[in-house]
Amino acid sequence: MLPKYYHGYGHTVPLSDGGKAFCIIYSVIGIPFTLLFLTAVVQRIIVYVTRRPVLYFHIRWGFSKQVVAIIHAMVLGFITVSCFFLIPAAIFSVLEDDWNFLESFYFCFISLSTIGLGDYVPGEGYNQKFRELYKIGITCYLLMGLIAMLVVLETFCELHELKKFRKLFYVKKDKEEDQVHIMEHDQLSFSSISDQAASMKDDQKANEPFVNSQSPTSNDSSLNN
């Protein structure tokens, strides 16, 4: 029996046992690979979008790196909000007959924040033209918007001020505990070095050729002759 699904954005649920089993297996495999894919893409994009521009303005014009990073993060956040929230909301408010600008902006925010309530679904109207192409465009928009959101969040997380704020929540270790760990590490390294030296000496002794020493009586007889 083929798996049955109830269709709807945010409400797509498997109805049959086979569909539920496939959903579990697919989620266990698909979610980690999706996270790895997004992490790899964001780490490569942020080099060209954030780190190199900040370093360029810092070296080329001599501005403070912290100030440049803050201004860059603000500009990048404004561009992202404009390109993936404001402009798409205006487009959706035109394409969707029953949506106003606020409802369209609400859909963009709920979708890109991965909340996905499903109360607003684009392309579900009866008179929707080019429905398949419209759905593909929305999928590309959501994927690109999610990557852009992660890039902006990573950019803000690299700010020096936020790094100092995050350190407030780190677990602090006692100095005595750190000294004990250091001493234990030093003792382990010293014992490993001594063991290696002893094994090297044993190997050298085993590889040395045997020397046949002459007896003292033979030496005396040779001298008398």
Side-chain angles (χ1 to χ4, degrees), residues 146-201:
L146 183 59
I147 293 174
M149 289 287 292
L150 293 176
V151 169
V152 172
L153 291 176
E154 185 68 21
T155 300
F156 275 93
C157 288
E158 290 188 354
L159 294 178
H160 181 68
E161 288 75 11
L162 289 182
K163 288 183 178 179
K164 292 172 62 178
F165 178 74
R166 284 186 298 172
K167 288 182 179 179
L168 298 176
F169 301 94
Y170 291 165
V171 178
K172 295 182 179 180
K173 295 182 178 180
D174 297 333
K175 293 183 178 179
E176 296 180 357
E177 184 179 357
D178 293 337
Q179 291 177 358
V180 170
H181 288 308
I182 292 172
M183 293 177 63
E184 291 179 353
H185 178 71
D186 292 340
Q187 290 177 358
L188 290 174
S189 60
F190 178 76
S191 61
S192 62
I193 292 173
S194 61
D195 293 338
Q196 290 178 1
S199 63
M200 290 176 63
K201 288 181 180 179

Side-chain angles (χ1 to χ4, degrees), residues 5-48:
Y5 295 93
Y6 175 73
H7 178 71
Y9 182 83
H11 299 285
T12 302
V13 294
L15 300 179
S16 63
D17 294 338
K20 294 176 182 178
F22 174 77
C23 182
I24 294 173
I25 297 173
Y26 181 79
S27 300
V28 170
I29 299 175
I31 291 176
F33 274 96
T34 303
L35 294 176
L36 290 175
F37 169 75
L38 292 176
T39 302
V41 171
V42 169
Q43 290 299 324
R44 282 163 176 76
I45 291 177
I46 201 170
V47 174
Y48 300 97

